[in-house]
């Protein structure tokens, strides 16, 4: 992780960690980096989710871009993948999404896409950081006629909706679907998209007010959607996160269909059609052991990438794979999109459901999930840094894994988007892993929260 950018752009509490000054400076540096590569006046498309801080940061970011000569197109509230698509569709030079994804409303973030619609590489983000933090070169401030212009285009959502709808030529007629828009970006697109495809829909949590994004709704809180679907004679429920790049589904019984299960369903469907490139799905180290068992039983190779959809995509691009994603619901179909897209993934899942003639609960049984439990430890940067080098913590993890007897695993990692360390244990016995998780989390937190010891070992 860099000093500004994590695994999914820059992210933090708006107006403190993600300040107006930082947004302006990142805009200036990003425009300079892009301009050097294209040797002309760059055009940026900016989108945002529904957070109260988005307008403030959009203004600061636009000012920074224009101050160094870039033109700006304001696209308004859109899903993150819409910005990725529109950069290429509208022949822009870059795109920026203001969003903190699944985080609470007080957070915000900056995600940058290059002219090819892909998120910037680690090297490109590092170059921006060097300009902003290390002042390796002065900002190329413009004046007079060279100052950038700002325009607003309110019709861009329609282009994205038409494109995504085109990936399901047989439509979704005959399906009754509940859509949870998380009071976020999907509020602007999901209702129109699924109606266009002929689905009978109920739209929930699509009344954003700036502070209710992700609050007790969406892909992070599917329990209310599950009850709604179970009691309403629906074929499925679909829950998005704040910027609609994730999706979690709910079957007709209220059972949760997470990203791993979605990948299993769609991977096997693609394999039967001869469309699963190299019979391979790219998952992450956080994916459930059941997904790997599914692969063994169905002749599907499951490759493991680091956590973060950017690393899943990196492996997909390097090896030419067409399907990958995360348990959290980031699913990437490289045939159609250059990043994770919750609405695209939902449509592909529902298309497979309609074609199968089965219930979603039946499709979901394609994969048996191992019990998997997780706890978070609040962690400052010192604790995160020390996690990778502390031998005592490594010994604790090894000891816990041995207690599982070879039929489970322990994974401890620092989040790239939040100030936490995640402790995950997977195994066959729920009671055993619950007890082990409590014990291990307490030990790790006690060890790493000894700040003086942490600082000494981290060399700080």
């Amino acid at each position: 992780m860099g000093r500004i950018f994590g695994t999914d752009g820059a992210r933090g509490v708006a107006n403190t960690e993600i300040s107006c000054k930082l947004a302006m400076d990142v805009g200036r540096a990003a425009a300079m980096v892009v301009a050097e590569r294209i040797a002309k006046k760059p055009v940026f498309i900016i989108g945002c989710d529904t957070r109260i801080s988005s307008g403030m940061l959009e203004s600061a970011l636009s000012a920074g871009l224009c101050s160094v000569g870039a033109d700006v197109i304001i696209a308004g509230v859109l899903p993150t993948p819409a910005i990725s698509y529109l950069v290429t569709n509208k022949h822009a030079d870059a795109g920026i999404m203001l969003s903190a994804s699944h985080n609470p409303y007080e957070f915000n973030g900056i995600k940058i896409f290059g002219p090819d619609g892909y998120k910037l590489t680690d090297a490109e983000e590092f170059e921006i950081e060097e300009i902003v933090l290390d002042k390796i070169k002065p900002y190329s401030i413009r004046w007079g006629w060279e100052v950038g212009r700002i325009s607003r285009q309110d019709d861009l959502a329609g282009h994205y909706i038409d494109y995504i709808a085109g990936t399901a030529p047989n439509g979704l007629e005959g399906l009754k679907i509940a859509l949870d828009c998380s009071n976020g970006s999907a509020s602007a697109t999901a209702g129109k998209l699924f109606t266009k495809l002929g689905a009978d829909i109920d739209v929930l949590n699509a009344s954003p007010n700036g502070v209710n994004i992700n609050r007790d709704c969406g892909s992070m809180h599917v329990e209310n959607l599950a009850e709604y679907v179970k009691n309403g004679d629906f074929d499925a429920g679909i829950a998005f996160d704040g910027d609609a790049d994730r999706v979690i589904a709910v079957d007709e019984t209220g059972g949760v269909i997470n990203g791993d299960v979605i990948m299993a369903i769609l991977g096997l469907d693609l394999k039967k059609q001869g469309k699963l490139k190299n019979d391979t799905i790219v998952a992450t180290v956080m994916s459930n052991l059941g997904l790997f068992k599914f692969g063994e039983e169905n002749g599907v190779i499951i490759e493991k990438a680091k956590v973060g959809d950017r690393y899943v995509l990196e492996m997909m691009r390097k090896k030419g794979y067409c399907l990958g994603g995360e348990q959290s619901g980031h699913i990437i179909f490289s045939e159609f999109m250059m990043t994770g897209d919750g609405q695209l993934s939902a449509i592909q899942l529902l298309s497979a459901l309609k074609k199968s003639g089965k219930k979603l609960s039946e499709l979901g049984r394609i994969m048996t999930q191992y019990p998997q439990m997780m706890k978070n430890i609040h962690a400052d940067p010192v604790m995160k840094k020390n996690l990778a080098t502390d031998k005592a913590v490594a010994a604790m993890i090894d000891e816990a894994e041995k207690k599982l007897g070879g039929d489970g695993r322990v994974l401890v990692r620092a989040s790239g988007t939040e100030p936490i360390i995640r402790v995950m244990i997977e195994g066959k016995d729920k009671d055993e892993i619950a007890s082990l998780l409590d014990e291990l989390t307490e030990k790790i937190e006690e060890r790493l929260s000894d700040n003086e010891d942490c600082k000494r070992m981290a060399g700080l």
Side-chain angles (χ1 to χ4, degrees), residues 33-68:
V33 169
V34 171
E36 285 179 1
R37 284 160 171 70
I38 63 174
K40 69 180 181 71
K41 185 184 184 76
V43 176
F44 280 70
I45 296 177
I46 299 179
C48 64
D49 67 20
T50 58
R51 295 163 203 276
I52 193 171
S53 60
S54 288
M56 174 186 72
L57 294 175
E58 176 186 87
S59 297
L61 187 64
S62 299
L65 290 164
C66 290
S67 72
V68 294

Side-chain angles (χ1 to χ4, degrees), residues 229-342:
V229 169
K230 182 180 177 181
N231 297 323
D233 192 30
F234 290 89
D235 294 295
I238 300 294
F240 305 106
D241 68 336
D243 65 337
D245 65 352
R246 295 187 188 192
V247 63
I248 297 293
V250 173
D251 68 31
E252 77 286 354
T253 72
V256 176
I257 306 291
N258 66 24
D260 284 342
V261 183
I262 292 172
M263 285 192 289
I265 293 170
L266 294 177
L268 192 58
D269 182 59
L270 289 171
K271 185 174 186 288
K272 289 176 179 177
Q273 298 178 60
K275 294 182 178 180
L276 185 63
K277 188 70 179 293
N278 295 340
D279 290 339
T280 298
I281 298 171
V282 179
T284 75
V285 294
M286 289 292 287
S287 283
N288 194 278
L289 283 174
L291 180 62
F292 299 96
K293 297 287 186 183
F294 153 82
E296 293 170 3
E297 294 165 359
N298 291 277
V300 175
I301 300 166
I302 311 294
E303 291 246 26
K304 280 191 278 191
K306 291 192 295 184
V307 174
D309 64 330
R310 67 186 300 149
Y311 300 116
V312 172
L313 181 59
E314 186 179 280
M315 183 176 288
M316 291 173 66
R317 293 181 70 184
K318 182 178 179 180
K319 299 188 177 182
Y321 301 140
C322 65
L323 177 64
E326 299 184 281
Q327 186 183 83
S328 61
H330 282 123
I331 312 292
I332 301 170
F333 293 85
S334 61
E335 178 184 354
F336 301 121
M337 188 61 70
M338 290 76 75
T339 189
D341 189 325

Side-chain angles (χ1 to χ4, degrees), residues 29-40 42 93 114-115 120-128 131 137:
M32 290 167 61
V33 169
V34 171
E36 285 179 1
R37 284 160 171 70
I38 63 174
K40 69 180 181 71
D93 301 301
L120 295 190
T121 64
D122 289 344
E124 289 168 324
E125 289 183 343
F126 179 70
E127 191 174 350
I128 292 172
I131 295 172
K137 61 179 75 172

Side-chain angles (χ1 to χ4, degrees), residues 10 25 31 45 65 68 107 118 126 143 248 252 270 272 292 316 322 369 411 413 420 433 445 449-450 453 456:
D25 287 345
I45 296 177
L65 290 164
V68 294
F107 288 78
Y118 291 104
F126 179 70
W143 56 89
I248 297 293
E252 77 286 354
L270 289 171
K272 289 176 179 177
F292 299 96
M316 291 173 66
C322 65
Q369 297 191 69
L411 183 63
R413 56 175 289 271
I420 58 177
I433 64 176
E445 184 169 19
S449 61
D450 183 348
D453 198 20
R456 178 179 56 79

Side-chain angles (χ1 to χ4, degrees), residues 72-113:
V72 174
I73 298 172
I74 303 294
V77 173
L78 282 175
T80 289
I83 300 303
S84 169
Y85 167 71
L86 289 168
V87 167
T88 57
N89 179 257
K90 296 301 176 184
H91 306 292
D93 301 301
I96 299 180
M97 179 69 183
L98 290 166
S99 174
S101 190
H102 60 281
N103 291 137
Y105 82 92
E106 62 267 24
F107 288 78
N108 216 320
I110 303 171
K111 306 179 186 183
I112 308 177
F113 296 89

Side-chain angles (χ1 to χ4, degrees), residues 18 20 30 53 74 89 91 96 104 116 142 156 177 206 213 230-231 276 305 352 365 376 381 392 442 444 453 456:
I18 304 296
C20 292
S53 60
I74 303 294
N89 179 257
H91 306 292
I96 299 180
D116 55 2
R142 306 295 183 181
L156 295 179
I177 310 297
I213 185 171
K230 182 180 177 181
N231 297 323
L276 185 63
R365 288 195 290 271
N376 296 329
E442 184 178 342
I444 292 175
D453 198 20
R456 178 179 56 79

